[in-house]
Amino acid sequence: MNTRTKPCVLVFSGLDPSGGAGVMADIEAIGAVGAHALPVITALTVQDNDRVYAVNPVDAGILAHQAQVLIDKIPVSAVKIGIVGNRENALAIRDAITTLRQRRPDVPVVLDTVLGSGHGFALADGVPEYALSPLLGVATLVTPNLPEARRLYPLSDDIGEQAASLMEQGAANVLVKGGHGDDEHLVFNYWYGTDGVKQWQWPRLDGEFHGTGCTLASAIAGYLAQGRSMEDAILHGQIWCQQALANAFSVAKGQRIPGRVGTYQGK
């Protein structure tokens, strides 16, 4: 009898029918780095590999029921959150994490602050910043890109001040992703934590990609589920994500899909 086990990541994410972002990206990335995803769908989207046309949130009661059943039966070693769909879902996710932490107080939570598509379509009912705000206080790591960091703290263009604002709201760590930066050759990512700030730089790859943020956040969550330190998980998540982008493929004209399946794990 095979008794092999894998650490599990409870995933709250939307369904992207193009397979590039959302729960498909989460499942593939978490599996590729050595963990197992427990997917709870927050919203059904209408989108292709370039544009989002509609977001249909799942009923918060269904989401809460799914999460509770999983938490009651399966050991959860990390949580990854993508789009929430609406504030009711965010509150249900927060309650599920509160329940989970009564059993495992140290379970890490990675929140990918997805506010809109690359073309600006809002990915939650109402104001996306308001919808996801209940989750900032339970997040171990928040992973905004540059436009998201600016929207979450519009009072300053300084990413250090933006990260500090998120930490004041309860986030233990913030990884600001620099893919939208101005440098033509390099991407700069910044990690803000209790020990200060650390910077990484990565070669900027040609083209545009669909699901990069989901891919990176899920890889980090997968590594955290395996007991890696925050710095180690962020570093190796970036290494693995860079390889997935280098292995990207096309399904149609437009943004390419990260090649997550079979990609080197960055160990």
Side-chain angles (χ1 to χ4, degrees):
M1 179 179 178
N2 187 347
T3 58
R4 182 187 178 206
T5 62
K6 285 187 176 184
C8 293
V9 180
L10 180 59
V11 175
F12 297 95
S13 186
L15 174 65
D16 167 13
S18 80
V23 71
M24 183 74 146
D26 300 328
I27 293 170
E28 290 182 347
I30 290 167
V33 303
H36 176 71
L38 306 172
V40 176
I41 304 299
T42 58
L44 304 177
T45 73
V46 180
Q47 63 179 298
D48 55 28
N49 62 309
D50 275 327
R51 292 184 177 275
V52 178
Y53 297 91
V55 175
N56 303 281
V58 171
D59 180 81
I62 297 174
L63 183 154
H65 193 188
Q66 288 180 311
Q68 188 63 55
V69 167
L70 293 170
I71 292 169
D72 286 344
K73 177 67 181 292
I74 302 173
V76 174
S77 297
V79 178
K80 189 270 179 177
I81 307 168
I83 69 169
V84 296
N86 55 28
R87 188 173 177 87
E88 289 76 14
N89 282 356
L91 292 170
I93 294 168
R94 184 192 64 186
D95 291 346
I97 292 170
T98 300
T99 298
L100 176 60
R101 281 184 168 158
Q102 291 172 354
R103 308 175 189 191
R104 183 175 175 179
D106 61 342
V107 67
V109 175
V110 178
L111 171 62
D112 186 17
T113 52
V114 187
L115 302 178
S117 70
H119 290 90
F121 190 96
L123 292 175
D125 286 349
V127 180
E129 297 92 323
Y130 174 74
L132 65 78
S133 61
L135 297 169
L136 293 173
V138 298
T140 312
L141 175 66
V142 178
T143 63
N145 59 32
L146 290 172
E148 290 163 352
R150 182 71 172 84
R151 286 179 61 178
L152 290 166
Y153 187 67
L155 300 180
S156 174
D157 290 327
D158 183 87
I159 61 174
E161 294 181 11
Q162 293 163 357
S165 173
L166 294 173
M167 295 174 74
E168 288 170 1
Q169 295 177 68
N173 297 269
V174 178
L175 178 66
V176 181
K177 303 169 295 187
H180 291 79
D182 296 329
D183 194 291
E184 295 181 2
H185 305 291
L186 295 172
V187 172
F188 297 92
N189 295 336
Y190 297 87
W191 168 40
Y192 295 85
T194 55
D195 296 329
V197 59
K198 183 177 180 65
Q199 173 192 293
W200 289 275
Q201 62 183 47
W202 304 95
R204 184 178 293 279
L205 302 176
D206 292 334
E208 295 184 348
F209 306 95
H210 184 52
T212 305
C214 310
T215 300
L216 176 57
S218 292
I220 294 171
Y223 283 129
L224 289 172
Q226 297 173 70
R228 296 199 182 208
S229 68
M230 181 61 66
E231 181 172 2
D232 192 60
I234 291 175
L235 170 61
H236 286 282
Q238 291 175 94
I239 293 172
W240 181 84
C241 185
Q242 191 76 3
Q243 289 294 319
L245 296 182
N247 294 332
F249 59 92
S250 295
V251 294
K253 182 180 178 181
Q255 295 179 334
R256 290 181 290 156
I257 310 297
R260 294 174 288 255
V261 177
T263 291
Y264 166 66
Q265 294 184 20
K267 290 184 177 180

